[in-house]
């Protein structure tokens, strides 16, 4: 996600901004920019691509002289990665410059109103509305203008703002996106994350939600959303730079697992408006949705597992036939693809070679294509007819967690939308499904908070050689992902089996102490899976189970039981996967594995 840096002090600002932005590169970005006040006016430089390009075009900051400035690395969400969409953004008179991290959910409405008032827009970003809105409300008092803007905008934001009329201060504002203030002898700083300021100071203030900071060279003041002063104390940062980049977490994977409530919320919330699902980017009319005769979901790795789950949801709710394929198989199996069929390609990176090839093949054969992609502007995002973004932000750990969760909920939204348009479900059922969907982020948060217990269980498995995951229906899909997570980061051999299929061969491998992880979240299949659990347990298996709260009967057979809160049966993957991710993580940590960079694996597989 975007990175923000700001500086006001005794030194030249631009080199400090470039240095700070370089410490935020890990967040992922596709363009960068800076705005610096030179004593008379604000000057700006922006460049698509790496920070090196911005550094070169500004001669390492020398072409932007001045002691006050803001800088930004942009991870594109609204609008492609281009110079004009890069931040900072100006108001019309170039007297207010803004950098932003987050998403302004009501930006279209605000943009329309601003255009009606004569404001001209020069980018496709949601951020530019902030610059013009500040301009609209600015009557000489920046703080007043900022609080008015905060009352108008919905969504998440961390902002750095400079006003040419008030060149002795920088403003920083925060709601649901990170922002900190660093206090140093040589001047004060703002940043999205601690590493950007650690070279200058270890004394840091954490801005809370809906708070504003005003920094001058000497002072730092804080205000609430009503402009009233707030007292804050600086905290001394003791972490080393490497740890701080992970926001204090030991591994990126742990950090990203903990980001899942936000990721799921960010993928769902902007697409539910007045109780209805609005997927603007789908670009399909209701008639076209009704005309879909078949859906093909094609992906690799964990993305494939989300598609495997979505098959149950789409077929169950929308009653449309769904085929799910591994992209590497699909592209060579000469699939039957006909007009009226929709091909959905799911990919975090948007660059996976097999998925991209499958997309191209589907297009050649005249199918309508939809990409569910995380990286904006990636190949699959560019080439698919339509693209639905999962707003998970950059994922660094090779083993995916938050992008997986976002892909799941994106497909739940599609399934509900298709089911409603095709007349398979009515208003009441839509309302019930949306109610459960909206509860997922808090429920995920609750499951994440039980990590100590999962860690205790995980320690029991450090010497395991083989682990079997079993489940039926959606629980089989969950088992596939749970098994993949375990093998990819802990190097323990594991297999996922459809529980009913065990007795056709695999049960011969069960002996005294064999670890079996059973997933039983589907009420209509619970009794069946329970029988399979008893079958393996009587042959000596050591069973851990993941099931719904209330299914205490399972405790008679399983040694460890993890309960997930009640949700719609179609959504249980989003909850049951959380303890399984934590489990794999703690097994890998316990074994001393390189969790974030497992051997032989790559985050983005751009070769066949
Ligand atoms: C790699 C990653 C997996 C990912 C798969 C598909 O194997 O390690 O985490 O699920 O590629 O990647 P994509 O970017 O297309 O989702």
């Amino acid at each position: 996600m975007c990175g923000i840096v700001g500086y006001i002090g005794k030194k030249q600002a631009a080199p400090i901004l470039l240095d700070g932005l370089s410490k935020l590169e890990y967040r992922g970005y596709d363009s960068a920019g800076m705005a610096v006040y030179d004593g008379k006016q604000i000057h700006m430089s922006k460049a698509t691509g790496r920070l090196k390009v911005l550094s070169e075009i500004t001669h390492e900051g020398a072409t932007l002289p001045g002691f006050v400035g803001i800088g930004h690395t942009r991870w594109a969400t609204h609008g492609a990665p281009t110079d004009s969409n890069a931040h900072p953004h100006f108001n019309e008179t170039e007297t207010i410059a803004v950098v932003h991290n987050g998403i302004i959910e009501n930006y279209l409405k605000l943009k329309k109103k601003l255009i009606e008032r004569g404001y001209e827009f020069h980018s496709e970003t949601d951020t530019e509305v902030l610059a013009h809105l500040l301009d609209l409300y600015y009557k000489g008092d920046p703080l007043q203008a900022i609080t008015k803007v905060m009352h108008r905008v919905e969504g998440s934001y961390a902002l750095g703002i400079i006003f040419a009329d008030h060149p002795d201060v920088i403003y920083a504002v925060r709601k649901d996106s990170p922002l900190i203030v660093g206090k140093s002898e040589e001047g004060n700083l703002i940043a999205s994350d601690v590493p950007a300021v650690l070279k200058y100071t270890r004394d840091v203030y954490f801005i809370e939600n809906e708070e504003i900071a005003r920094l001058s060279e000497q002072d730092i003041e804080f205000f609430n959303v009503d402009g009233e002063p707030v007292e804050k104390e600086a905290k001394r940062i003791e972490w080393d730079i490497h740890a701080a980049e992970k926001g204090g977490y030991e591994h990126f994977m742990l950090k990203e697992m903990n980001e899942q409530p936000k990721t799921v919320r960010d993928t769902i919330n902007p697409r539910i408006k007045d109780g209805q699902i609005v997927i603007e980017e789908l670009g399909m009319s209701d008639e076209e949705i009704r005309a879909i005769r078949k859906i093909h979901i094609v992906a690799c790795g964990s993305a494939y597992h989300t598609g495997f789950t979505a098959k149950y949801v789409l077929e169950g709710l929308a009653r449309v036939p769904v085929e799910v394929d591994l992209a590497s198989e699909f592209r060579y199996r000469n699939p039957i693809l006909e007009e009226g069929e929709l091909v959905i390609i799911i990919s975090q990176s948007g660059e996976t070679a097999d998925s991209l090839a499958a997309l191209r093949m589907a297009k050649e054969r005249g199918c309508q294509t939809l990409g569910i992609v995380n990286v904006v502007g990636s190949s699959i995002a560019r080439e698919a007819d339509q693209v639905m973004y999962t707003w998970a932000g950059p994922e660094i750990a090779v083993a995916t967690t938050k992008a997986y969760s976002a892909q799941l909920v994106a497909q739940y939204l599609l399934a509900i939308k298709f089911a409603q348009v095709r007349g398979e479900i009515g208003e009441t059922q839509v309302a019930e499904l949306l109610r459960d969907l909206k509860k997922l982020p808090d429920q995920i948060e609750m499951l994440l908070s039980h990590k100590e217990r999962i860690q205790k269980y995980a320690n029991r498995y450090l010497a395991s050689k083989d682990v079997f995951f079993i489940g039926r229906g959606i629980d089989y899909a969950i088992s596939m992902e749970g098994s993949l997570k375990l093998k990819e980061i802990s190097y323990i051999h594991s297999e996922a089996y459809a529980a009913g299929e065990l007795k056709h061969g695999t049960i011969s491998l069960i002996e005294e102490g064999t670890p079996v992880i059973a997933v039983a979240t589907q009420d209509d299949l619970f009794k069946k899976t329970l029988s399979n659990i008893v079958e393996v347990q009587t042959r000596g298996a050591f069973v851990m189970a993941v099931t719904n709260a209330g299914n205490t009967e399972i405790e008679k057979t399983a040694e460890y039981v993890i309960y997930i809160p009640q949700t719609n049966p179609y959504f249980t993957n989003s909850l049951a996967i959380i303890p399984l991710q934590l489990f794999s993580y703690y097994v890998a940590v316990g074994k001393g594995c390189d969790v974030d960079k497992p051997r032989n694996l790559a985050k983005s597989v751009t070769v066949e």
Side-chain angles (χ1 to χ4, degrees), residues 491-534:
Y491 314 142
I492 293 175
H493 167 249
S494 76
E495 296 296 337
Y497 268 85
E501 188 65 11
L502 266 182
K503 52 173 100 55
H504 298 290
T506 310
I507 202 162
S508 66
L509 295 172
I510 305 293
E511 53 189 21
E512 199 54 42
T514 306
V516 171
I517 297 178
V519 186
T521 68
Q522 300 298 297
D523 289 336
D524 54 343
L525 296 168
F526 181 71
K527 289 259 176 297
K528 304 268 175 215
T529 306
L530 195 56
S531 309
N532 300 128
I533 297 174
V534 173

Short mmCIF file of all heavy atoms in Angstrom, two decimals, residues 491-534:
data_model
loop_
_atom_site.label_atom_id
_atom_site.label_comp_id
_atom_site.label_asym_id
_atom_site.label_seq_id
_atom_site.Cartn_x
_atom_site.Cartn_y
_atom_site.Cartn_z
N TYR A 491 7.58 -27.59 5.43
CA TYR A 491 8.19 -28.72 4.72
C TYR A 491 7.73 -30.07 5.26
O TYR A 491 8.40 -31.09 5.06
CB TYR A 491 9.73 -28.65 4.75
CG TYR A 491 10.29 -27.28 4.41
CD1 TYR A 491 11.40 -26.77 5.07
CD2 TYR A 491 9.70 -26.48 3.44
CE1 TYR A 491 11.91 -25.52 4.77
CE2 TYR A 491 10.20 -25.23 3.13
CZ TYR A 491 11.30 -24.75 3.80
OH TYR A 491 11.79 -23.50 3.51
N ILE A 492 6.61 -30.10 5.96
CA ILE A 492 6.04 -31.39 6.39
C ILE A 492 5.13 -31.88 5.28
O ILE A 492 4.30 -31.11 4.76
CB ILE A 492 5.23 -31.22 7.70
CG1 ILE A 492 6.17 -30.86 8.85
CG2 ILE A 492 4.45 -32.51 8.02
CD1 ILE A 492 5.45 -30.55 10.15
N HIS A 493 5.29 -33.15 4.92
CA HIS A 493 4.43 -33.68 3.88
C HIS A 493 2.98 -33.69 4.37
O HIS A 493 2.68 -34.14 5.48
CB HIS A 493 4.86 -35.12 3.52
CG HIS A 493 3.83 -35.81 2.69
ND1 HIS A 493 3.08 -36.86 3.17
CD2 HIS A 493 3.39 -35.56 1.43
CE1 HIS A 493 2.24 -37.24 2.22
NE2 HIS A 493 2.40 -36.48 1.17
N SER A 494 2.08 -33.18 3.56
CA SER A 494 0.66 -33.23 3.97
C SER A 494 -0.21 -33.41 2.73
O SER A 494 0.18 -33.03 1.62
CB SER A 494 0.27 -31.99 4.75
OG SER A 494 0.12 -30.92 3.87
N GLU A 495 -1.35 -34.01 2.94
CA GLU A 495 -2.28 -34.27 1.85
C GLU A 495 -3.67 -33.87 2.29
O GLU A 495 -4.04 -34.06 3.45
CB GLU A 495 -2.35 -35.78 1.54
CG GLU A 495 -1.06 -36.38 1.03
CD GLU A 495 -0.62 -35.83 -0.32
OE1 GLU A 495 -1.49 -35.32 -1.06
OE2 GLU A 495 0.57 -35.89 -0.59
N ALA A 496 -4.45 -33.35 1.36
CA ALA A 496 -5.86 -33.07 1.66
C ALA A 496 -6.70 -34.12 0.95
O ALA A 496 -6.48 -34.39 -0.23
CB ALA A 496 -6.22 -31.69 1.16
N TYR A 497 -7.62 -34.70 1.68
CA TYR A 497 -8.51 -35.72 1.09
C TYR A 497 -9.95 -35.39 1.32
O TYR A 497 -10.33 -34.90 2.39
CB TYR A 497 -8.21 -37.10 1.70
CG TYR A 497 -7.19 -37.82 0.87
CD1 TYR A 497 -5.83 -37.60 1.08
CD2 TYR A 497 -7.58 -38.64 -0.19
CE1 TYR A 497 -4.89 -38.19 0.26
CE2 TYR A 497 -6.64 -39.23 -1.00
CZ TYR A 497 -5.29 -39.01 -0.77
OH TYR A 497 -4.37 -39.58 -1.59
N ALA A 498 -10.76 -35.71 0.31
CA ALA A 498 -12.20 -35.64 0.52
C ALA A 498 -12.51 -36.75 1.53
O ALA A 498 -12.16 -37.91 1.28
CB ALA A 498 -12.91 -35.87 -0.81
N ALA A 499 -13.10 -36.40 2.65
CA ALA A 499 -13.22 -37.35 3.76
C ALA A 499 -13.88 -38.66 3.33
O ALA A 499 -13.49 -39.74 3.78
CB ALA A 499 -13.98 -36.71 4.91
N GLY A 500 -14.86 -38.59 2.45
CA GLY A 500 -15.57 -39.80 2.02
C GLY A 500 -14.73 -40.69 1.13
O GLY A 500 -15.09 -41.84 0.87
N GLU A 501 -13.63 -40.18 0.63
CA GLU A 501 -12.78 -40.91 -0.31
C GLU A 501 -11.67 -41.69 0.42
O GLU A 501 -11.03 -42.57 -0.18
CB GLU A 501 -12.19 -39.88 -1.29
CG GLU A 501 -11.43 -40.43 -2.47
CD GLU A 501 -12.28 -41.23 -3.46
OE1 GLU A 501 -13.52 -41.20 -3.35
OE2 GLU A 501 -11.70 -41.92 -4.31
N LEU A 502 -11.49 -41.38 1.70
CA LEU A 502 -10.40 -41.97 2.48
C LEU A 502 -10.35 -43.49 2.37
O LEU A 502 -9.30 -44.08 2.18
CB LEU A 502 -10.61 -41.63 3.96
CG LEU A 502 -9.93 -40.40 4.54
CD1 LEU A 502 -10.26 -40.33 6.01
CD2 LEU A 502 -8.43 -40.46 4.32
N LYS A 503 -11.54 -44.08 2.52
CA LYS A 503 -11.54 -45.54 2.60
C LYS A 503 -11.26 -46.22 1.27
O LYS A 503 -11.16 -47.42 1.20
CB LYS A 503 -12.81 -46.08 3.28
CG LYS A 503 -14.12 -45.59 2.72
CD LYS A 503 -15.28 -46.33 3.36
CE LYS A 503 -15.97 -45.56 4.46
NZ LYS A 503 -16.48 -44.22 4.10
N HIS A 504 -11.09 -45.42 0.22
CA HIS A 504 -10.74 -46.01 -1.08
C HIS A 504 -9.23 -46.07 -1.27
O HIS A 504 -8.75 -46.04 -2.40
CB HIS A 504 -11.43 -45.23 -2.21
CG HIS A 504 -12.92 -45.29 -2.11
ND1 HIS A 504 -13.63 -46.44 -2.35
CD2 HIS A 504 -13.83 -44.36 -1.73
CE1 HIS A 504 -14.92 -46.21 -2.14
NE2 HIS A 504 -15.06 -44.94 -1.76
N GLY A 505 -8.50 -46.06 -0.21
CA GLY A 505 -7.05 -46.22 -0.36
C GLY A 505 -6.24 -45.57 0.74
O GLY A 505 -5.48 -46.23 1.45
N THR A 506 -6.44 -44.28 0.92
CA THR A 506 -5.56 -43.52 1.80
C THR A 506 -5.62 -43.95 3.26
O THR A 506 -4.65 -43.80 4.00
CB THR A 506 -5.90 -42.02 1.66
OG1 THR A 506 -5.93 -41.73 0.28
CG2 THR A 506 -4.90 -41.14 2.34
N ILE A 507 -6.73 -44.50 3.67
CA ILE A 507 -6.87 -44.88 5.08
C ILE A 507 -5.81 -45.94 5.47
O ILE A 507 -5.46 -46.10 6.64
CB ILE A 507 -8.32 -45.34 5.39
CG1 ILE A 507 -8.59 -45.19 6.88
CG2 ILE A 507 -8.58 -46.76 4.88
CD1 ILE A 507 -10.04 -45.18 7.25
N SER A 508 -5.24 -46.61 4.47
CA SER A 508 -4.20 -47.61 4.77
C SER A 508 -2.95 -46.93 5.35
O SER A 508 -2.11 -47.59 5.94
CB SER A 508 -3.84 -48.39 3.50
OG SER A 508 -3.24 -47.52 2.57
N LEU A 509 -2.83 -45.63 5.16
CA LEU A 509 -1.65 -44.93 5.69
C LEU A 509 -1.82 -44.49 7.14
O LEU A 509 -0.90 -43.98 7.77
CB LEU A 509 -1.37 -43.69 4.83
CG LEU A 509 -0.97 -43.97 3.38
CD1 LEU A 509 -0.91 -42.68 2.58
CD2 LEU A 509 0.37 -44.69 3.32
N ILE A 510 -3.03 -44.63 7.66
CA ILE A 510 -3.28 -44.18 9.03
C ILE A 510 -2.79 -45.24 10.01
O ILE A 510 -3.16 -46.41 9.93
CB ILE A 510 -4.79 -43.92 9.26
CG1 ILE A 510 -5.34 -42.92 8.24
CG2 ILE A 510 -5.06 -43.47 10.71
CD1 ILE A 510 -4.84 -41.50 8.33
N GLU A 511 -1.93 -44.81 10.91
CA GLU A 511 -1.44 -45.75 11.94
C GLU A 511 -1.37 -45.00 13.27
O GLU A 511 -1.73 -43.82 13.34
CB GLU A 511 -0.10 -46.36 11.53
CG GLU A 511 0.93 -45.32 11.17
CD GLU A 511 2.19 -45.91 10.56
OE1 GLU A 511 2.17 -47.04 10.06
OE2 GLU A 511 3.20 -45.21 10.61
N GLU A 512 -0.88 -45.64 14.29
CA GLU A 512 -0.84 -45.05 15.63
C GLU A 512 -0.14 -43.69 15.59
O GLU A 512 1.01 -43.57 15.16
CB GLU A 512 -0.09 -46.02 16.57
CG GLU A 512 -0.33 -45.81 18.06
CD GLU A 512 -1.82 -45.80 18.43
OE1 GLU A 512 -2.59 -46.63 17.92
OE2 GLU A 512 -2.19 -44.92 19.24
N GLY A 513 -0.83 -42.64 15.97
CA GLY A 513 -0.23 -41.31 16.09
C GLY A 513 -0.24 -40.48 14.81
O GLY A 513 0.21 -39.33 14.81
N THR A 514 -0.74 -41.03 13.68
CA THR A 514 -0.76 -40.22 12.44
C THR A 514 -1.63 -38.97 12.67
O THR A 514 -2.79 -39.09 13.06
CB THR A 514 -1.37 -41.03 11.26
OG1 THR A 514 -0.66 -42.24 11.14
CG2 THR A 514 -1.30 -40.24 9.96
N PRO A 515 -1.05 -37.79 12.40
CA PRO A 515 -1.86 -36.58 12.61
C PRO A 515 -2.91 -36.40 11.50
O PRO A 515 -2.57 -36.46 10.32
CB PRO A 515 -0.86 -35.44 12.56
CG PRO A 515 0.49 -36.06 12.54
CD PRO A 515 0.34 -37.46 12.03
N VAL A 516 -4.16 -36.22 11.92
CA VAL A 516 -5.23 -35.93 10.96
C VAL A 516 -5.91 -34.64 11.41
O VAL A 516 -6.24 -34.47 12.58
CB VAL A 516 -6.27 -37.08 10.91
CG1 VAL A 516 -7.49 -36.66 10.07
CG2 VAL A 516 -5.65 -38.34 10.31
N ILE A 517 -6.06 -33.72 10.46
CA ILE A 517 -6.77 -32.47 10.78
C ILE A 517 -8.09 -32.52 10.02
O ILE A 517 -8.10 -32.59 8.78
CB ILE A 517 -5.91 -31.25 10.40
CG1 ILE A 517 -4.63 -31.29 11.27
CG2 ILE A 517 -6.69 -29.95 10.61
CD1 ILE A 517 -3.64 -30.20 11.00
N ALA A 518 -9.18 -32.55 10.78
CA ALA A 518 -10.50 -32.70 10.16
C ALA A 518 -11.23 -31.36 10.18
O ALA A 518 -11.24 -30.67 11.20
CB ALA A 518 -11.31 -33.73 10.93
N VAL A 519 -11.81 -31.00 9.03
CA VAL A 519 -12.57 -29.76 8.95
C VAL A 519 -14.04 -30.15 8.79
O VAL A 519 -14.39 -30.89 7.86
CB VAL A 519 -12.09 -28.88 7.77
CG1 VAL A 519 -12.79 -27.53 7.80
CG2 VAL A 519 -10.57 -28.68 7.83
N ALA A 520 -14.87 -29.67 9.71
CA ALA A 520 -16.29 -30.07 9.69
C ALA A 520 -17.17 -28.86 10.01
O ALA A 520 -17.69 -28.72 11.11
CB ALA A 520 -16.52 -31.18 10.70
N THR A 521 -17.30 -27.97 9.01
CA THR A 521 -18.07 -26.74 9.24
C THR A 521 -19.41 -26.77 8.51
O THR A 521 -20.19 -25.82 8.63
CB THR A 521 -17.29 -25.51 8.75
OG1 THR A 521 -17.22 -25.56 7.32
CG2 THR A 521 -15.89 -25.45 9.33
N GLN A 522 -19.65 -27.82 7.70
CA GLN A 522 -20.89 -27.86 6.92
C GLN A 522 -21.94 -28.67 7.67
O GLN A 522 -21.81 -29.90 7.79
CB GLN A 522 -20.60 -28.47 5.54
CG GLN A 522 -19.58 -27.69 4.73
CD GLN A 522 -20.04 -26.27 4.42
OE1 GLN A 522 -21.04 -26.07 3.74
NE2 GLN A 522 -19.31 -25.28 4.94
N ASP A 523 -22.95 -27.98 8.18
CA ASP A 523 -23.93 -28.64 9.05
C ASP A 523 -24.53 -29.89 8.42
O ASP A 523 -24.66 -30.92 9.07
CB ASP A 523 -25.05 -27.67 9.42
CG ASP A 523 -24.54 -26.61 10.38
OD1 ASP A 523 -23.53 -26.89 11.08
OD2 ASP A 523 -25.12 -25.50 10.41
N ASP A 524 -24.86 -29.81 7.12
CA ASP A 524 -25.53 -30.96 6.50
C ASP A 524 -24.59 -32.15 6.30
O ASP A 524 -25.04 -33.26 6.03
CB ASP A 524 -26.17 -30.54 5.15
CG ASP A 524 -25.17 -29.88 4.22
OD1 ASP A 524 -24.11 -29.44 4.68
OD2 ASP A 524 -25.46 -29.84 3.00
N LEU A 525 -23.30 -31.92 6.44
CA LEU A 525 -22.33 -33.01 6.24
C LEU A 525 -21.65 -33.42 7.55
O LEU A 525 -20.78 -34.30 7.56
CB LEU A 525 -21.26 -32.56 5.23
CG LEU A 525 -21.76 -32.28 3.82
CD1 LEU A 525 -20.70 -31.57 2.99
CD2 LEU A 525 -22.15 -33.59 3.13
N PHE A 526 -22.03 -32.73 8.64
CA PHE A 526 -21.31 -32.92 9.90
C PHE A 526 -21.28 -34.38 10.36
O PHE A 526 -20.22 -34.94 10.66
CB PHE A 526 -21.93 -32.02 10.99
CG PHE A 526 -21.22 -32.17 12.31
CD1 PHE A 526 -19.94 -31.66 12.50
CD2 PHE A 526 -21.83 -32.84 13.36
CE1 PHE A 526 -19.28 -31.80 13.71
CE2 PHE A 526 -21.18 -32.99 14.58
CZ PHE A 526 -19.89 -32.47 14.75
N LYS A 527 -22.42 -35.03 10.33
CA LYS A 527 -22.51 -36.42 10.81
C LYS A 527 -21.64 -37.34 9.96
O LYS A 527 -21.00 -38.25 10.45
CB LYS A 527 -23.97 -36.90 10.75
CG LYS A 527 -24.86 -36.24 11.80
CD LYS A 527 -25.07 -37.19 12.98
CE LYS A 527 -25.87 -36.61 14.12
NZ LYS A 527 -25.31 -35.48 14.82
N LYS A 528 -21.64 -37.07 8.65
CA LYS A 528 -20.84 -37.90 7.72
C LYS A 528 -19.35 -37.73 8.05
O LYS A 528 -18.61 -38.72 8.12
CB LYS A 528 -21.08 -37.46 6.27
CG LYS A 528 -22.51 -37.48 5.84
CD LYS A 528 -22.87 -38.81 5.23
CE LYS A 528 -24.33 -38.89 4.90
NZ LYS A 528 -24.90 -40.20 5.08
N THR A 529 -18.93 -36.48 8.19
CA THR A 529 -17.50 -36.24 8.47
C THR A 529 -17.13 -36.83 9.82
O THR A 529 -16.04 -37.39 10.00
CB THR A 529 -17.19 -34.73 8.40
OG1 THR A 529 -17.63 -34.24 7.15
CG2 THR A 529 -15.70 -34.46 8.55
N LEU A 530 -18.05 -36.70 10.77
CA LEU A 530 -17.79 -37.25 12.11
C LEU A 530 -17.51 -38.76 12.02
O LEU A 530 -16.59 -39.27 12.66
CB LEU A 530 -18.99 -36.96 13.02
CG LEU A 530 -18.76 -37.15 14.52
CD1 LEU A 530 -17.59 -36.30 15.02
CD2 LEU A 530 -20.02 -36.76 15.30
N SER A 531 -18.27 -39.45 11.18
CA SER A 531 -18.02 -40.90 11.01
C SER A 531 -16.62 -41.13 10.47
O SER A 531 -15.92 -42.05 10.89
CB SER A 531 -18.99 -41.53 10.01
OG SER A 531 -20.28 -41.18 10.33
N ASN A 532 -16.20 -40.29 9.52
CA ASN A 532 -14.84 -40.45 8.98
C ASN A 532 -13.78 -40.17 10.04
O ASN A 532 -12.74 -40.82 10.06
CB ASN A 532 -14.63 -39.52 7.78
CG ASN A 532 -15.60 -39.78 6.65
OD1 ASN A 532 -16.26 -38.87 6.15
ND2 ASN A 532 -15.72 -41.04 6.25
N ILE A 533 -14.08 -39.23 10.93
CA ILE A 533 -13.13 -38.92 12.00
C ILE A 533 -13.01 -40.14 12.92
O ILE A 533 -11.92 -40.54 13.31
CB ILE A 533 -13.58 -37.66 12.79
CG1 ILE A 533 -13.60 -36.44 11.87
CG2 ILE A 533 -12.67 -37.41 13.98
CD1 ILE A 533 -14.17 -35.17 12.49
N VAL A 534 -14.16 -40.75 13.22
CA VAL A 534 -14.15 -41.94 14.08
C VAL A 534 -13.35 -43.06 13.40
O VAL A 534 -12.52 -43.72 14.03
CB VAL A 534 -15.60 -42.39 14.41
CG1 VAL A 534 -15.60 -43.71 15.15
CG2 VAL A 534 -16.32 -41.32 15.21
#
